[in-house]
Amino acid sequence: MRDGTKGVCAPKGFVAGGIRCGIKKSSAKNDLALVKCEVPCRAAAVYTRNKVYGAPITVTRKNLENGTAQAIVCNSGNANTCNADGVMIAEKMCVLAGEALGIDPSDVIIGSTGVIGQPLPLEPIEWGIRSLAPKLTRDGAHEAQLAIMTTDIRPKETAVTFDLDGVTVTIGAMAKGSGMIRPNMATMLSFITTDCAISAPMLEKALKLTVDDTYNMVSVDGDTSTNDMVSVMASGLAGNAPIETEGPAFDAFVSGLTAVATRISRMIAADGEGATKLIEVAVTGAPDRQAARTVAKSVVMSSLVKAAMFGADANWGRILCAIGYADAEFDASQIEVLLSSPAGRIRVCLHGSGVPFSEEEAKKILLETEIRVEINMHQGTAFATAWGCDLTYDYVKINGDYRT
Amino acid sequence: MRDGTKGVCAPKGFVAGGIRCGIKKSSAKNDLALVKCEVPCRAAAVYTRNKVYGAPITVTRKNLENGTAQAIVCNSGNANTCNADGVMIAEKMCVLAGEALGIDPSDVIIGSTGVIGQPLPLEPIEWGIRSLAPKLTRDGAHEAQLAIMTTDIRPKETAVTFDLDGVTVTIGAMAKGSGMIRPNMATMLSFITTDCAISAPMLEKALKLTVDDTYNMVSVDGDTSTNDMVSVMASGLAGNAPIETEGPAFDAFVSGLTAVATRISRMIAADGEGATKLIEVAVTGAPDRQAARTVAKSVVMSSLVKAAMFGADANWGRILCAIGYADAEFDASQIEVLLSSPAGRIRVCLHGSGVPFSEEEAKKILLETEIRVEINMHQGTAFATAWGCDLTYDYVKINGDYRT
């Protein structure tokens, strides 16, 4: 598997672009993205489990019922959620995109991210779609990425290539992360593209297999957003023998998809609102997979663990506490905990009790920007990894007054 | 029902005191509390559901098996949790308290709060118990309260009196709150005393009826501690006809207990680590009681709602979002939300969608120190209230470097 950098335009057939149309009033940033494929794609998506969900979720779900899509339209600055006319506006956006791109409006994947509950004006979007549509290029992935950011500081895009029976297949992705990020179904906006030839049912199956160990293992603040979605479009232009059943080719595709999704997940965690550190919680020796996931997420979501990491304080008792209230069955008296980073690795807890360690060494380890909490439960062979970030003054600052 | 102010010493028969014995090294604050009743009491307690729990929980659970207790010993500065010798130390503390107070060591309720995973030295506690035991008085409740505080800023004690068939019955309480506070079983350290004559089984029943709508509806940071416990001791010295079955007298006692527990719960929420505001979330019109509780707790626990409250930002979309991811079955399209405080009351959402409101008026309402979020689900008659606080810079500061 090799790295690529052209994001959603890395696979064959995709063009993209971004523009500032004026939804974000006070900002000079892009706020509207378009991605188009030269051919209709097999497509699938997973959606937020929040019972309050945005109009774009309603419309995308309907548009993907037939497993086909050819374009993405996504705005930032307004979530188009909890608005009485939201679905009508979202459908209008698909019609506008369809007209401007010369495709069927029902083949459009639509996303919106930003403030909830403020009417989304159609005029700037109409102007934006019409201006942007003729300008989409093979180099436009980054401009599209910039247009879907809200409080994100760093863009999140990646791509991998791998061989499938002598044919080179590429998977690319971009994402919007930062706030309202919590592990439970698709937990952010992420658009994946690939040139792999694969049937719609197998594409959906691959996506579902991937999200539980990647996107769903990320937490920034424990809040599951109303608009989260991960979509994937497959153009088939790589020319591989179409994947229509499980087998080695399907497994290779899932591996590639997992690699892309893991990278995006780490990027989202590291760029959490106000974050100064990426926290990776790796659970091993768990009685079963679900327990491993639940324990890893419980630790990565703990406000007290997150604040201790910000302060580079090896307060491992908080880690044990968060393990203990995880909703899973296990024996807490077997647990071992280690802290590691590029600066070193120390054991802080064995058999559920503290062990002596050097506070100085611990401090050195925790002052790094990527911290790994290793939890060996010593009661099985299951494992899982979760990603999050520290809780900082800036998180409070960003969210104390987001709208103004 | 009338107010009282002598905390755990308000009911007949109880004496108390607090002392600085030296567990908190750098502080001049009390760190050891004793409470004693002149007669053996009926007693009951509810405990943390955390699978990692402190040695004091193990020992208190065993001591209360026979439904009898006569004293409380509680230290702050060290949680005596995740220590290999923890249970032995906790049992020793009961023996020391029993000797010094002239009671059976198995009639001691023991609590510890503070850092997890550091060995608890017995010497200062031994000295403290022996010095303090002869000095307990009817006026010592406040000194005892001060001794169980950790990062608490304000003491939490209250008492109520009410009539039971012409006899005056009193219930008093003190609590330790502040951090690692989350709704799920007894979520903090709270000691309740009463002079009511009531059997041990009815006392336990009354306590369990009370906690689900009071202590379990409080959240500061979503972390369920390892040491949380609410205990109640009943001396019977009020002289009422002993309560041995359900009926009007039992109901009156539960009302009194609920009043005390509600006040303590509000105090704990308002004094959450770093808090500048008490947030009360009142859900009505819910399809059932459990849904009402789940929705209220989901909103009060949302980091994004808490940060918005700190910033006095009427970002009600975050409230809808937190309602939506609550783990309960309901129709999100019926929901109405109002914000209120002593400065006013405004509707921000109706039928699940935004309604126009004055941002200026909303700001005025949210700048108060007690905010009420009123959620009418319009799909039933069940209701519940949860209490929490805002998320502030000081929460991060306090928890970024708690141990040093």
Side-chain angles (χ1 to χ4, degrees):
Chain A
M1 210 176 293
R2 293 173 303 281
D3 288 0
T5 48
K6 294 182 97 186
V8 290
C9 289
K12 287 179 191 151
F14 293 89
V15 290
I19 194 170
R20 183 191 165 214
C21 73
I23 304 166
K24 287 180 183 163
K25 287 227 170 48
S26 59
S27 155
K29 292 176 186 163
N30 283 359
D31 51 15
L32 186 75
L34 284 175
V35 179
K36 189 197 170 187
C37 187
E38 61 191 56
V39 296
C41 294
R42 309 286 78 71
V46 287
Y47 308 91
T48 182
R49 286 190 188 137
N50 199 311
K51 279 174 289 294
V52 175
Y53 51 85
I57 298 287
T58 308
V59 173
T60 301
R61 206 188 288 269
K62 200 181 71 187
N63 286 355
L64 288 188
E65 265 171 16
N66 65 349
T68 308
Q70 196 168 352
I72 299 163
V73 57
C74 182
N75 73 276
S76 56
N78 186 314
N80 191 19
T81 298
C82 297
N83 295 329
D85 64 353
V87 170
M88 193 263 286
I89 294 281
E91 281 173 346
K92 266 283 179 64
M93 284 172 67
C94 293
V95 170
L96 289 168
E99 281 172 5
L101 298 169
I103 64 166
D104 191 317
S106 74
D107 285 344
V108 176
I109 292 169
I110 176 169
S112 293
T113 176
V115 182
I116 298 171
Q118 289 186 358
L120 176 60
L122 206 56
E123 297 71 27
I125 289 176
E126 184 165 359
W127 175 86
I129 289 174
R130 287 186 182 153
S131 307
L132 181 58
K135 298 179 189 154
L136 305 185
T137 69
R138 295 278 301 149
D139 295 318
H142 188 66
E143 286 298 315
Q145 156 68 64
L146 295 177
I148 67 172
M149 288 164 62
T150 56
T151 51
D152 304 63
I153 290 171
R154 291 186 289 273
K156 294 158 193 73
E157 51 192 341
T158 190
V160 300
T161 62
F162 55 98
D163 289 326
L164 220 53
D165 297 326
V167 171
T168 298
V169 171
T170 302
I171 303 177
M174 65 177 179
K176 175 265 162 184
S178 224
M180 225 179 245
I181 299 289
R182 177 214 167 137
N184 199 351
M185 181 36 41
T187 53
M188 65 288 299
L189 226 40
S190 183
F191 302 104
I192 306 171
T193 54
T194 179
D195 46 23
C196 188
I198 180 168
S199 71
M202 294 313 288
L203 187 62
E204 184 170 7
K205 188 168 203 169
L207 183 62
K208 286 191 169 156
L209 278 174
T210 303
V211 293
D212 275 342
D213 283 317
T214 56
Y215 294 101
N216 281 348
M217 295 301 284
V218 176
S219 173
V220 166
D221 51 19
D223 280 276
T224 302
S225 163
T226 54
N227 287 44
D228 299 336
M229 174 170 74
V230 178
S231 73
V232 55
M233 295 167 70
S235 71
L237 298 176
N240 59 299
I243 300 172
E244 282 165 351
T245 58
E246 293 195 28
F250 178 73
D251 293 346
F253 180 73
V254 170
S255 292
L257 200 58
T258 301
V260 163
T262 300
R263 278 189 216 172
I264 292 282
S265 297
R266 289 176 62 99
M267 288 178 195
I268 289 168
D271 193 28
E273 285 177 338
T276 69
K277 292 171 203 284
L278 170 70
I279 318 287
E280 179 169 274
V281 179
V283 172
T284 57
D288 58 73
R289 193 66 177 271
Q290 200 45 46
R293 286 176 179 153
T294 303
V295 166
K297 286 197 281 191
S298 185
V299 173
V300 97
M301 284 175 66
S302 160
S303 292
L304 288 167
V305 171
K306 289 156 63 75
M309 290 295 163
F310 173 55
D313 179 15
N315 197 332
W316 61 270
R318 293 180 180 173
I319 296 170
L320 259 280
C321 176
I323 294 170
Y325 64 68
D327 187 18
E329 286 307 311
F330 56 86
D331 177 2
S333 71
Q334 299 303 311
I335 285 166
E336 177 182 12
V337 180
L338 295 100
L339 301 174
S340 67
S341 79
R345 184 166 183 257
I346 48 162
R347 179 193 284 146
V348 292
C349 170
L350 189 64
H351 302 312
S353 293
V355 291
F357 63 89
S358 154
E359 289 282 350
E360 201 182 339
E361 203 186 334
K363 194 90 186 172
K364 222 171 60 187
I365 290 168
L366 297 183
L367 282 171
E368 295 285 320
T369 55
E370 280 200 29
I371 311 295
R372 194 172 155 90
V373 177
E374 302 175 31
I375 300 165
N376 190 333
M377 299 179 72
H378 289 294
Q379 50 204 287
T381 56
F383 58 92
T385 301
W387 299 276
C389 58
D390 53 346
L391 175 63
T392 70
Y393 297 118
D394 279 353
Y395 178 83
V396 178
K397 186 173 179 185
I398 291 163
N399 288 301
D401 204 5
Y402 173 60
R403 297 184 314 157
T404 52
Chain B
M1 209 176 292
R2 293 174 303 279
D3 289 0
T5 48
K6 293 183 97 185
V8 290
C9 290
K12 287 180 191 149
F14 293 90
V15 289
I19 194 171
R20 182 191 165 213
C21 73
I23 304 165
K24 287 181 184 163
K25 287 227 168 48
S26 59
S27 157
K29 291 176 185 164
N30 285 358
D31 51 14
L32 186 76
L34 284 174
V35 179
K36 189 197 170 186
C37 187
E38 61 190 56
V39 295
C41 294
R42 309 286 79 71
V46 287
Y47 308 93
T48 182
R49 285 190 188 138
N50 198 312
K51 279 174 288 294
V52 174
Y53 50 86
I57 299 285
T58 308
V59 173
T60 300
R61 206 188 287 268
K62 201 181 70 188
N63 286 354
L64 288 188
E65 265 171 16
N66 65 350
T68 308
Q70 196 168 352
I72 298 163
V73 57
C74 182
N75 72 276
S76 57
N78 186 313
N80 191 19
T81 298
C82 297
N83 296 327
D85 65 352
V87 171
M88 194 263 284
I89 294 281
E91 281 171 346
K92 264 283 177 62
M93 283 173 68
C94 293
V95 169
L96 289 167
E99 282 172 6
L101 297 170
I103 65 167
D104 191 317
S106 73
D107 284 343
V108 177
I109 291 169
I110 176 168
S112 294
T113 176
V115 182
I116 298 171
Q118 288 185 359
L120 176 60
L122 207 55
E123 298 70 27
I125 289 176
E126 184 165 357
W127 175 86
I129 288 174
R130 288 186 181 153
S131 308
L132 182 59
K135 298 180 190 154
L136 305 186
T137 69
R138 294 279 300 150
D139 295 319
H142 189 67
E143 287 298 316
Q145 156 67 62
L146 294 177
I148 67 172
M149 288 163 64
T150 54
T151 51
D152 303 64
I153 290 170
R154 290 185 290 273
K156 293 156 194 73
E157 51 192 343
T158 191
V160 300
T161 62
F162 55 97
D163 290 326
L164 221 51
D165 297 327
V167 172
T168 298
V169 170
T170 303
I171 304 176
M174 65 177 179
K176 173 265 162 184
S178 224
M180 225 179 244
I181 299 287
R182 177 212 168 141
N184 200 348
M185 182 37 40
T187 54
M188 65 289 299
L189 227 40
S190 184
F191 302 104
I192 306 172
T193 55
T194 179
D195 46 23
C196 187
I198 181 169
S199 71
M202 294 313 287
L203 188 62
E204 185 170 6
K205 189 167 203 170
L207 183 63
K208 286 190 168 156
L209 278 174
T210 302
V211 294
D212 274 342
D213 282 318
T214 56
Y215 293 102
N216 281 350
M217 295 302 283
V218 176
S219 172
V220 167
D221 51 18
D223 279 276
T224 303
S225 162
T226 55
N227 286 45
D228 298 335
M229 175 170 74
V230 178
S231 73
V232 56
M233 294 167 69
S235 70
L237 297 176
N240 59 299
I243 300 171
E244 283 165 351
T245 57
E246 294 196 27
F250 178 74
D251 293 346
F253 180 73
V254 170
S255 292
L257 199 58
T258 301
V260 163
T262 301
R263 277 189 217 172
I264 292 281
S265 297
R266 288 175 61 99
M267 288 178 194
I268 289 168
D271 193 30
E273 286 177 336
T276 69
K277 292 172 203 285
L278 170 70
I279 318 288
E280 179 169 273
V281 179
V283 172
T284 56
D288 58 73
R289 193 66 177 271
Q290 200 44 47
R293 286 176 180 154
T294 304
V295 166
K297 287 197 281 191
S298 186
V299 173
V300 98
M301 285 175 66
S302 160
S303 292
L304 288 168
V305 171
K306 289 156 63 78
M309 290 295 162
F310 173 56
D313 178 15
N315 197 333
W316 61 270
R318 293 179 179 171
I319 296 171
L320 259 279
C321 176
I323 294 170
Y325 64 68
D327 187 17
E329 286 306 312
F330 56 86
D331 177 2
S333 72
Q334 299 304 312
I335 285 165
E336 177 182 12
V337 180
L338 296 99
L339 302 173
S340 68
S341 78
R345 183 166 184 258
I346 49 162
R347 179 192 283 145
V348 292
C349 171
L350 188 65
H351 303 312
S353 293
V355 290
F357 62 89
S358 154
E359 289 282 351
E360 202 182 338
E361 203 186 333
K363 193 91 185 171
K364 221 171 61 188
I365 290 168
L366 297 182
L367 282 171
E368 294 285 320
T369 57
E370 281 200 28
I371 311 295
R372 193 172 155 89
V373 177
E374 303 175 31
I375 299 165
N376 191 332
M377 298 178 72
H378 290 294
Q379 49 203 287
T381 57
F383 57 92
T385 301
W387 299 276
C389 58
D390 53 345
L391 174 62
T392 70
Y393 298 118
D394 279 353
Y395 178 84
V396 178
K397 186 173 179 183
I398 292 164
N399 288 300
D401 203 4
Y402 173 59
R403 298 185 314 157
T404 52

